Amino acid sequence: YRRLYRWAGGVLMMAVVSGVVSLAVFPALFHMSLTDVLAQTPTENGVWYRDNWEFGWGYSFGWGAVFFDFGASLIFLCGKDRDEILRTTEYVMSDQDDDL
């Protein structure tokens, strides 16, 4: 099953990369292009459009999802194999007759 874990870790890492691109690059380019156009265009009443843009709660939620995806990908990529866990487990038998 180790191959499937590494495959899942790779898929999650690609999700992290696409999440960072969509949460960092696209809003920056949107802000640059929209600010240039709207800052020079008045409305019908002669009021200028605002040139600062704010992000809502969904933007923070997206960064949280990228953070947890990154953690999950590390767990999948760096997790122990089943054989490693079985080799490091020790069983201790008591000489006394304990009823546990």
Side-chain angles (χ1 to χ4, degrees), residues 5-16:
Y5 285 131
R6 289 200 186 250
W7 184 79
V11 169
L12 282 170
M13 197 57 82
M14 289 189 314
V16 168

Side-chain angles (χ1 to χ4, degrees), residues 10 15 87:
R87 277 188 240 128

Side-chain angles (χ1 to χ4, degrees), residues 27 30-31 34-35 50-60:
F30 170 77
H31 182 271
L34 197 60
T35 300
R50 67 180 185 175
D51 59 350
N52 61 339
W53 297 92
E54 300 172 358
F55 297 108
W57 61 269
Y59 187 71
S60 300

